[in-house]
Amino acid sequence: MHVQLGRSFGWLWSAYAVSTYGTWIAFGALPLIAVRVLHSPAFAVSLLEAVGLAVAAIVAVSLGPWVEHRAKRPVMIAMDLTRFVAMVSVPIAYVLGLLSYGQLLVVSVISGTASIAFTAASGAYLKYLVRSDHLLVANGRFEGTSWVATAVGPPLGGALIGLLGPVITVMADALSYLLSALGVLRIRGGDVAAPRDRATRLRGADFLGGWRFILRDRALRRLFLNSILVGGLIMATVPLLSVLLLGQYHFPAWQYGLAFGIPALGGFVGARLSARLVTRYGRHRVMIVSGWLRSLFPLGLAFIRPGIPGFLTVIIVEGLLITCMGIFNPIYATERLQRTPADRAAQVLSTWSGSSKLLQAALMVVWGILATLTSPLAAITMSGVLLLATPLLLPKRTHLSDHEPAASAEDVRAARLMPSSHKRSTRS
């Protein structure tokens, strides 16, 4: 489905692409540094992921109202520069012989917080930039880019780790955020910020606005609960897979990266098919089928074994899972944006992302304990069993039909444009 979305969207897409490629080249770099450089045990690796996610989520949710009332491009640039500084501190400390587990925790918190705030600002700006009926196509392009980066990044990162060590991949990730900031800086035109009475200070209740809006809408409520549970149960196993494959089964770094890189091509295919499938079969049917399937396949990870059979098992299971995610994610992201008014988008997205990461952090700690008490493979299997129940939370057809789409880009553009003097100050 070929739709022209404009030059400004092209720059936003490019900025997203370069930072996403950097992130996936550094896939698992911090846990890998914890394992290979600092010799941290399985629980410490899970704690590294969990603490970063938890603190970042709490801080980022409180940033939602702040992001809502500010021009989005300067926020995105500031968050990119923050992530650059945080990530580049790791190779600097390594070279100086000062790298510690505590620094990895701090970097995880700062980069996680900045990522949530960037996602909230970019999502709100995308709603402003793209017509409502083109959002599925736009989200499909972002999703496809993400999965191509997932396919290319880990094998390349694995090769870099094998040749030069994991710290080099962190440097590549840091530079990607700098390039992303330059891409956002090239966007021209207006910006978007929700109006606020300057005489009124933010109240504590304002920080709950995102949750209140999500929970009042039946479809959003179900999508929210489904997405954070699925994401939490899947992400809880990521550190354990690192320990299982790299530690117990002794997969080389290149093979570990390849096992997660090849399946990502299925995500690209799914993202390209998503809009076509919706056109042919309807949004709800495609959402339900792909939502059920993405919750069935993770149980296949229970059959991972050492050597080539285990390597092939990871590729097949992850390939099927990611293909379904590639179809599902653009649909759910579009439904979320269309049901959210322009002046609530940043707060809803920061609340959504923060809540998701907070649950992921909690489940990572729980699954780290489970893996310690049993084994990484047993904990991964338990996650797959629990995932089987999550599709029951997906919205019903009636929940999606009782909805008038939130204001389109054209409807809100004039009201959301910054004053001309402010616009000039935000341009490069």
Side-chain angles (χ1 to χ4, degrees):
M1 183 177 293
H2 184 70
V3 176
Q4 295 291 336
L5 298 177
R7 181 173 296 180
S8 293
F9 173 80
W11 281 115
L12 182 64
W13 187 15
S14 298
Y16 172 82
V18 71
S19 64
T20 302
Y21 273 89
T23 297
W24 282 104
I25 286 175
F27 171 68
L30 294 185
L32 192 57
I33 290 172
V35 172
R36 293 280 178 88
V37 178
L38 302 177
H39 308 292
S40 302
F43 180 75
V45 176
S46 292
L47 190 64
L48 173 63
E49 294 285 332
V51 170
L53 286 174
V55 178
I58 293 170
V59 175
V61 169
S62 67
L63 288 176
W66 178 83
V67 174
E68 197 75 78
H69 299 297
R70 279 160 178 79
K72 301 304 181 288
R73 292 205 309 274
V75 171
M76 287 187 278
I77 292 170
M79 294 304 104
D80 270 335
L81 294 179
T82 299
R83 290 187 286 183
F84 166 73
V85 172
M87 298 304 293
V88 81
S89 72
V90 173
I92 291 174
Y94 177 78
V95 170
L96 297 176
L98 301 174
L99 186 63
S100 67
Y101 181 80
Q103 181 181 350
L104 294 184
L105 284 174
V106 172
V107 169
S108 180
V109 169
I110 293 175
S111 61
T113 302
S115 293
I116 295 174
F118 181 94
T119 299
S122 62
Y125 192 67
L126 179 65
K127 182 176 176 66
Y128 160 79
L129 198 63
V130 176
R131 284 170 38 186
S132 179
D133 58 335
H134 288 167
L135 279 174
L136 180 58
V137 175
N139 281 314
R141 291 181 185 179
F142 280 114
E143 186 74 13
T145 298
S146 175
W147 290 119
V148 173
T150 306
V152 174
L156 180 58
L160 286 175
I161 289 170
L163 291 173
L164 303 172
V167 176
I168 295 298
T169 64
V170 176
M171 175 64 79
D173 191 19
L175 292 176
S176 74
Y177 295 127
L178 192 60
L179 293 174
S180 174
L182 294 174
V184 175
L185 197 63
R186 293 296 303 272
I187 298 174
R188 296 294 185 267
D191 210 322
V192 57
R196 179 168 65 90
D197 186 354
R198 294 183 180 276
T200 303
R201 292 186 176 182
L202 286 175
R203 299 168 299 174
D206 293 332
F207 298 110
L208 302 177
W211 279 300
R212 285 201 301 266
F213 184 85
I214 291 168
L215 296 177
R216 279 199 302 261
D217 186 297
R218 290 189 299 173
L220 280 183
R221 182 170 65 244
R222 282 177 164 266
L223 278 175
F224 174 72
L225 293 173
N226 173 266
S227 68
I228 66 172
L229 284 173
V230 171
L233 289 169
I234 290 175
M235 291 303 297
T237 65
V238 170
L240 304 182
L241 281 169
S242 299
V243 173
L244 180 67
L245 299 181
L246 294 170
Q248 294 186 14
Y249 292 170
H250 304 292
F251 279 38
W254 68 267
Q255 197 174 73
Y256 175 74
L258 201 62
F260 290 97
I262 292 175
L265 296 174
F268 173 73
V269 173
R272 293 298 299 268
L273 289 174
S274 187
R276 293 180 173 89
L277 291 172
V278 167
T279 301
R280 183 167 182 177
Y281 298 107
R283 180 179 297 186
H284 181 260
R285 180 181 297 179
V286 178
M287 178 189 292
I288 294 299
V289 172
S290 59
W292 271 97
L293 291 175
R294 71 176 180 152
S295 300
L296 293 174
F297 293 126
L299 191 56
L301 294 175
F303 302 99
I304 297 177
R305 296 293 181 270
I308 296 300
F311 176 68
L312 294 177
T313 299
V314 174
I315 289 178
I316 293 170
V317 170
E318 292 290 330
L320 294 171
L321 168 63
I322 290 172
T323 300
C324 295
M325 292 175 68
I327 296 170
F328 180 90
N329 288 348
I331 301 172
Y332 121 81
T334 299
E335 186 71 26
R336 181 176 59 183
L337 274 180
Q338 288 183 337
R339 301 183 80 91
T340 305
D343 61 352
R344 295 286 188 90
Q347 192 168 3
V348 166
L349 292 175
S350 63
T351 297
W352 198 297
S353 182
S355 301
S356 178
K357 292 185 182 300
L358 193 59
L359 182 62
Q360 288 173 21
L363 293 182
M364 280 181 180
V365 172
V366 172
W367 256 251
I369 295 172
L370 287 174
T372 302
L373 295 176
T374 57
S375 70
L377 185 60
I380 290 168
T381 302
M382 191 176 301
S383 173
V385 171
L386 292 176
L387 277 166
L388 297 176
T390 58
L392 298 174
L393 292 169
L394 287 169
K396 298 178 181 179
R397 189 182 301 276
T398 54
H399 297 155
L400 299 182
S401 61
D402 61 353
H403 163 63
E404 289 294 331
S408 66
E410 290 84 351
D411 297 330
V412 301
R413 195 176 300 271
R416 298 293 174 257
L417 285 175
M418 299 297 295
S420 58
S421 60
H422 199 143
K423 283 195 294 182
R424 286 194 295 270
S425 69
T426 60
R427 292 180 181 176
S428 58

